[in-house]
Amino acid sequence: MNVTGRLPGISAFMRIRNGEAFLEATIRSHISYFDEIVAVHNQCTDRSVEILESLQAEFGEEKLRVIHYTDRVYPPGSTGHIETPGDSPNSLVNYYNFSLAATRYQVATKLDDDHLAIGQATKEATDSIRMLGSAFNEMHCFSGPNLLLNENGDLSVPLDDSISGGGDIGFFPVSEETYFTHDRRFERFHRGNLPRKFVGFLYWHLKYLKPDHGFGNYELDQNPNSRYAKRLKTVESDRASTLRVAELQRSVSPSVWRRFKAIVSTKDRLQNARDAAILSSFADVSITEAVKASANWDLVTS
């Protein structure tokens, strides 16, 4: 991780496979808040590489660093992922660690190619980290509501999967103790002894707005028993969603059991804090109005 040679500042690292739908919007909405974005692409057959090269020519090679990870990577949920050790070049875990190790700054965060930045909240979060400097010794976790088009074509949030990010994504000081490990289901982030705290809703998650609802990279035709095959069926068949922020707040209000678990579980405590922050993060308006008021939606529609 070259911990001692890292520069003061914040890196975002991306792993990209066929992310053309929202890749440009993601990078444009985030790039001003980071010292660099490291975009690592793999097995792309769409326009992702073309988009990255165009944006790199615009922003410069130091601000947007584009890297090709050449090995075949097994997707999460696949038999290949389950059976492949985390240190194999074909492992999703190795791909993630390669991307993290390519960053150059002291603080890093994972950035997906379908995150539309909530600008003011992202600015406040990154400004806070810069002010802390070397005193930054936590993982500042953040989340984003999942967006879905309902049956009428309106922006909404699915009731069965409302929020992306439950303590697994955030800003952290890079050290020898921060890396990804293998789980049969997916990659798992090892944060060492860093305590976690929730710092806000920093993005709108656009995954379910993709033509394939964001499941095209899971190779489900070869892995019909993947947990993601079941998830896709749920997304396609169950369009129960909310159109307003207040209803979203009510739908994620923690149960008595989750409030009890939070007494001993730091993850439940963090998720309770996350869900309680919805109405303080967004006005009680429609989801469409909330998106347009907090993010540059024109980047998506242009």
Side-chain angles (χ1 to χ4, degrees):
M1 292 299 176
N2 187 27
V3 175
T4 58
R6 287 179 171 265
L7 303 169
I10 306 172
S11 300
F13 61 98
M14 305 179 70
R15 300 87 45 244
I16 301 155
R17 180 180 180 186
N18 293 338
E20 67 176 1
F22 302 117
L23 178 57
E24 182 169 356
T26 294
I27 290 174
R28 288 191 181 280
S29 68
H30 282 93
I31 198 161
S32 64
Y33 306 111
F34 302 124
D35 295 281
E36 67 173 0
I37 292 179
V38 179
V40 186
H41 60 88
N42 175 255
Q43 301 176 94
C44 291
T45 58
D46 64 357
R47 293 182 56 253
S48 292
V49 177
E50 178 185 339
I51 292 167
L52 289 172
E53 290 175 346
S54 175
L55 290 173
Q56 186 179 56
E58 177 181 346
F59 292 112
E61 295 182 359
E62 293 298 300
K63 190 73 169 179
L64 177 59
R65 299 174 54 229
V66 178
I67 302 172
H68 184 196
Y69 187 90
T70 57
D71 290 282
R72 189 261 201 273
V73 175
Y74 295 112
S78 68
T79 301
H81 171 76
I82 292 170
E83 297 177 349
T84 302
D87 59 355
S88 165
N90 304 117
S91 171
L92 185 73
V93 174
N94 193 77
Y95 178 29
Y96 271 58
N97 282 324
F98 174 92
S99 304
L100 171 57
T103 62
R104 299 176 297 175
Y105 290 86
Q106 292 172 351
V107 175
T109 188
K110 180 166 70 76
L111 176 63
D112 290 348
D113 62 28
D114 48 20
H115 287 185
L116 182 67
I118 296 175
Q120 185 58 34
T122 303
K123 181 180 186 304
E124 290 173 1
T126 51
D127 284 351
S128 173
I129 291 168
R130 295 183 197 281
M131 288 181 63
L132 287 168
S134 60
F136 179 58
N137 58 2
E138 298 174 302
M139 182 172 175
H140 283 191
C141 300
F142 54 85
S143 299
N146 289 316
L147 292 178
L148 178 73
L149 292 178
N150 72 358
E151 293 178 349
N152 297 321
D154 299 314
L155 284 177
S156 62
V157 174
L159 291 176
D160 66 325
D161 187 17
S162 301
I163 308 296
S164 163
D168 57 326
I169 182 170
F171 299 99
F172 56 90
V174 179
S175 75
E176 296 296 342
E177 296 299 316
T178 56
Y179 52 86
F180 294 90
T181 62
H182 183 262
D183 184 294
R184 288 174 56 86
R185 298 164 295 174
F186 36 64
E187 84 296 335
R188 186 179 293 278
F189 181 61
H190 181 275
R191 69 181 192 283
N193 294 320
L194 293 174
R196 289 182 295 195
K197 77 172 183 178
F198 179 71
V199 296
F201 289 94
L202 304 195
Y203 64 95
W204 293 96
H205 195 202
L206 310 181
K207 175 176 180 174
Y208 295 153
L209 299 182
K210 291 180 175 180
D212 56 12
H213 299 304
F215 290 87
N217 292 335
Y218 294 105
E219 302 176 7
L220 298 181
D221 56 333
Q222 303 172 43
N223 299 281
N225 296 320
S226 166
R227 63 199 300 265
Y228 298 99
K230 300 171 186 175
R231 181 67 207 139
L232 175 58
K233 289 180 181 178
T234 300
V235 173
E236 290 177 332
S237 62
D238 183 5
R239 289 302 184 94
S241 59
T242 175
L243 293 170
R244 294 195 65 84
V245 170
E247 187 178 357
L248 171 60
Q249 174 78 79
R250 289 193 294 272
S251 73
V252 299
S253 180
S255 64
V256 172
W257 171 239
R258 207 171 83 181
R259 289 196 297 269
F260 175 77
K261 285 174 63 181
I263 297 173
V264 294
S265 166
T266 58
K267 184 173 183 178
D268 282 286
R269 195 150 57 241
L270 183 141
Q271 291 181 359
N272 287 355
R274 175 198 68 184
D275 297 344
I278 290 174
L279 278 181
S280 61
S281 302
F282 309 104
D284 181 16
V285 293
S286 71
I287 298 299
T288 298
E289 291 173 302
V291 172
K292 291 181 177 180
S294 61
N296 189 349
W297 185 246
D298 289 342
L299 291 175
V300 176
T301 57
S302 62

